[in-house]
């Protein structure tokens, strides 16, 4: 299985930029498609798709969220961070079955 | 508005069975692959199973193969997960999810999630 590694937590100040990283144990890119996706989960709620295929904003997601990366290294950026963004963020690959998730990065206020 | 509403969770003894249901609305159910994703208490997310639009193709993680069965009734816009021979490690919140499918193909990208059904396997 492809293993996705995320830092457990990140502390940021409101209004600043947050950069959340995800590293895959092998490439999750096929040709021009980067098969990495990002989800947000707030406490007590279900996850929500933020970004698909590394850099595409899902429907209804604010433009302060963006994604980048290819191969094995991917980044989710939130700029500027708002209070409503405090949550846990998961990366997920769909390059190979089984699809796997990272362990999650908890975004906290500094 | 897309809605996915799970039902059927609860407490079950090890080795017993349980069936989850997910009622879908707000979209053309038969046009989307569907999946179950679970989350153990205080843990991360884990994909469980996916089913194609027609139900003719199913995919499972190794740890549930032979024990769980994903199915769908397109006429009723309902997704199911039959869970047999349950183990303590199956304890989790089970989310019904819709897969993002621009051409109705399986993508393993979950673009809509239900609120989840809690399953506790314990004696």
């Amino acid at each position: 299985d492809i293993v996705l590694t995320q830092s457990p937590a990140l502390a940021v100040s409101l209004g600043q930029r947050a950069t959340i990283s995800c590293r895959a144990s092998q490439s999750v890119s096929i040709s021009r498609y980067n098969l990495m996706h990002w989800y947000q989960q707030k406490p007590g709620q279900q996850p929500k798709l933020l970004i698909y295929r590394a850099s595409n904003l899902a429907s209804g997601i604010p433009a302060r969220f963006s994604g980048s990366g290819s191969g094995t290294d991917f980044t989710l950026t939130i700029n500027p961070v708002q209070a409503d963004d405090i949550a846990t963020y998961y990366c997920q690959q769909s390059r190979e079955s089984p699809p796997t998730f990272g362990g999650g990065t908890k975004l906290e206020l500094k | 508005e897309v809605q996915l509403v799970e039902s059927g969770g609860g407490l079950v003894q090890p080795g017993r069975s349980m069936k989850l249901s997910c009622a879908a609305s707000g979209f053309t159910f038969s046009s989307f692959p569907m999946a179950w994703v679970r989350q153990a208490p205080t843990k991360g997310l884990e994909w469980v199973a996916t089913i194609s639009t027609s139900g003719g193709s199913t995919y499972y993680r190794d740890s549930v193969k032979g024990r769980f069965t994903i199915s769908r009734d397109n006429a009723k816009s309902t997704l199911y997960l039959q869970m047999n021979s349950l183990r303590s490690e199956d304890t989790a919140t089970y989310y019904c999810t819709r897969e993002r499918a621009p051409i109705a193909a399986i993508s393993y990208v979950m673009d809509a999630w239900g609120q989840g059904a809690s399953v506790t396997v314990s004696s």
Side-chain angles (χ1 to χ4, degrees):
Chain A
D1 296 2
I2 296 177
V3 176
L4 302 181
T5 302
Q6 298 181 245
S7 298
L10 176 67
V12 294
S13 302
L14 293 177
Q16 299 302 303
R17 176 195 305 258
T19 302
I20 297 171
S21 299
C22 177
R23 174 163 287 177
S25 60
Q26 62 190 77
S27 176
V28 299
S29 299
I30 303 177
S31 184
R32 61 189 174 97
Y33 295 106
N34 299 302
L35 301 177
M36 183 68 79
H37 323 287
W38 292 93
Y39 300 83
Q40 175 194 65
Q41 187 177 31
K42 297 179 182 178
Q45 295 187 18
Q46 69 271 49
K48 178 197 305 184
L49 178 66
L50 294 177
I51 301 279
Y52 62 94
R53 280 194 271 116
S55 60
N56 297 276
L57 216 56
S59 177
I61 302 304
R64 65 179 183 275
F65 291 91
S66 62
S68 63
S70 64
T72 60
D73 292 296
F74 295 85
T75 300
L76 171 70
T77 300
I78 311 170
N79 188 31
V81 170
Q82 297 186 359
D84 189 51
D85 301 334
I86 299 307
T88 298
Y89 293 85
Y90 294 93
C91 56
Q92 178 238 324
Q93 65 81 23
S94 59
R95 171 64 178 84
E96 284 185 1
S97 183
T100 51
F101 292 85
T105 297
K106 189 173 183 180
L107 190 65
E108 301 169 331
L109 283 180
K110 195 179 286 185
Chain B
E1 180 194 4
V2 173
Q3 282 203 312
L4 300 170
V5 180
E6 301 93 340
S7 60
L11 175 65
V12 62
Q13 292 180 328
R16 304 296 290 265
S17 299
M18 177 175 279
K19 186 171 186 176
L20 302 180
S21 300
C22 170
S25 61
F27 65 101
T28 304
F29 182 73
S30 59
S31 296
F32 289 84
M34 299 292 292
W36 290 96
V37 175
R38 67 185 180 185
Q39 185 171 34
T42 72
K43 300 295 184 184
L45 300 166
E46 184 175 81
W47 170 81
V48 175
T50 288
I51 188 167
S52 63
T53 53
S54 67
S57 296
T58 55
Y59 308 85
Y60 300 92
R61 68 178 304 101
D62 285 348
S63 62
V64 308
K65 269 182 198 170
R67 300 189 299 124
F68 288 14
T69 302
I70 187 172
S71 62
R72 66 191 296 161
D73 184 335
N74 285 343
K76 294 182 178 180
S77 296
T78 302
L79 177 71
Y80 303 99
L81 184 66
Q82 175 68 46
M83 303 182 289
N84 299 333
S85 304
L86 281 161
R87 306 167 180 166
S88 57
E89 54 264 36
D90 296 319
T91 294
T93 296
Y94 285 74
Y95 293 103
C96 168
T97 73
R98 184 184 78 172
E99 291 201 1
R100 187 178 176 278
I103 53 171
I106 286 170
S107 68
Y108 293 134
V109 181
M110 281 62 82
D111 73 351
W113 297 64
Q115 292 276 13
S118 178
V119 173
T120 302
V121 184
S122 174
S123 54

